[in-house]
Amino acid sequence: MHDYRIRTATVADLDEARAVMLDTVYRDFGSGYVPRWHADIIDPTSFYVFPPRHTLLVAVDEDGTVAATAALDARGPAHPPNPRWLAERYPSGETAQLRRVYTRPEHRRRGLARQLVDGLLDFARADGDYRSVYLHAYPHSPGAMGLWQALGKVVCDEREDVPGGGSGAVHFEIPLV
């Protein structure tokens, strides 16, 4: 049994956090690193550490190894590639977007993603200026759909709601309260 600590990432955590994220986009998503989608993975400092309304949380095991990541920023979904109405419904500055909720396979099924998301929601509530919490996920991501369906509601399933299926993403809103 592992003991984990959920905390804000430090500069010392960033290389391991980046490895968790890159491993996920290669292994679980099969896309690999795509600069227009994953610039925040390469430079988490500029995206999550320095902006005051952004954060990167990590789950660290008893050995000090980063087992999971989760980030939040004030950038709403962009159009394109997302539907225009979605970008308008979740504007930047008012929307806390959850990103990079990734857990290494050997640490899954231990509640880490849920704990990290709870920490992100606490961060968003403490900020006081976020009106909504948004995220998108892909149905083939291990464990993702069950977690997001338990926490929020689907606002757009591209497979059904976008002509041609869009990117296949499922978009969620999570209550702030």
Side-chain angles (χ1 to χ4, degrees), residues 110-134:
R110 297 179 186 172
L112 295 177
R114 177 65 184 254
Q115 291 177 60
L116 287 163
V117 170
D118 287 346
L120 294 178
L121 294 173
D122 289 344
F123 181 88
R125 283 189 288 273
D127 176 85
D129 287 330
Y130 288 117
R131 182 178 56 81
S132 59
V133 177
Y134 160 87

Side-chain angles (χ1 to χ4, degrees), residues 25-104:
V25 299
Y26 279 92
R27 180 192 55 248
D28 295 341
F29 299 162
S31 67
Y33 173 73
V34 179
R36 71 179 184 271
W37 299 337
H38 305 126
D40 62 305
I41 293 175
I42 298 304
D43 185 14
T45 304
S46 295
F47 282 86
Y48 304 119
V49 176
F50 288 130
R53 298 183 67 217
H54 299 189
T55 194
L56 174 63
L57 301 181
V58 291
V60 180
D61 71 10
E62 68 269 4
D63 297 326
T65 302
V66 174
T69 63
L72 177 149
D73 67 35
R75 296 177 293 144
H79 169 75
N82 299 295
R84 179 182 306 279
W85 68 267
L86 201 64
E88 291 169 354
R89 179 173 175 168
Y90 300 105
S92 292
E94 297 178 12
T95 303
Q97 184 166 181
L98 306 187
R99 300 177 183 267
R100 312 299 175 216
V101 181
Y102 301 152
T103 303
R104 288 199 177 278

